[in-house]
Every structure is written in C-alpha cells, then in structure tokens.
Amino acid sequence: QGQLVESGGGVVQPGGSLTLSCVPDGPTFVIYANDIMSWFRQAPGKEREFVAGVTWRNNKKYYADSLKGRFTIARYAAENAVTLQINNLKPEDTAIYYCARNADAYTYYDASKYDSWGQGTQVTVSS
C-alpha cells in the first residue's frame, strides 16, 4: 500500500460538498490504459465498499447503485489524477475514502481485485 495518495477529506456539515483527489505518490507508479481507478470507503465497523470507478482508456464510469446522484468521479489523464466529488453530504457518508487501481475493469466492484491502494482520507459529516 501507499502507492497512491488521497487528499481533500475533512469535517463537513450535512448538506455540504467535498472533492477528494488521488494521485500517484511518485513517477514510478504507472496507470495503464486498461486500468480502472476507483474509490472505496470504509465506515467504522463496516466492510470496505465500492463507491465509484472510472476506466483509464475510455473514461467509462461506474457507481454504486445506492450512491448514484451525489457522487461524481472524474479522471485527469495528463495529471494522473482521479477525483471524487460528493454533494449533499450525509452523516452516513462518514468514512475513510480510499483510492485504488485494478487492472481488470470487469471486476471493478471487488476490492480484493485491486492491487494498489492509498492510505485513505477521512471524511466526517457532522453538525
């Protein structure tokens, strides 16, 4: 772990917005054309869950069904960056958000298929 670096987390009031960012931690980390870059989250006492993913080659996006509408993933190929915009934040969005890389886009939903992860960024939604 530690090959990706997330940023942008923080404490936000319900209804607020955040944009999380993910970049490689150095020039040796390569994102390949067939990769999918995704965001997962893990709340206290819960399993890590898929949030959103984007394929590097053709920018195809996937979202968890329960989260569609408030989350937007984007990739910036020139900067090797992936972002996750979260709108209308709710207390149940409180979690550590992780960025990860998977060489097989067909298994985008399966955390065990991802070979590189960041350390995560904490998002806390509280009034």
Side-chain angles (χ1 to χ4, degrees), residues 14-25:
S17 298
L18 275 179
T19 298
L20 309 181
S21 297
C22 170
V23 294
D25 67 353

Side-chain angles (χ1 to χ4, degrees), residues 39-42 49-53 62-73 84-90 92-95 97:
W39 288 92
F40 286 77
R41 70 182 186 180
Q42 188 165 18
E49 66 171 342
F50 173 79
V51 175
Y62 300 89
Y63 294 95
D65 288 341
S66 61
L67 302 178
K68 283 182 179 177
R70 297 192 297 117
F71 291 74
T72 304
I73 191 169
L84 182 70
Q85 181 177 351
I86 315 172
N87 295 322
N88 189 23
L89 278 154
K90 302 176 180 182
E92 53 263 41
D93 294 321
T94 295
Y97 285 72

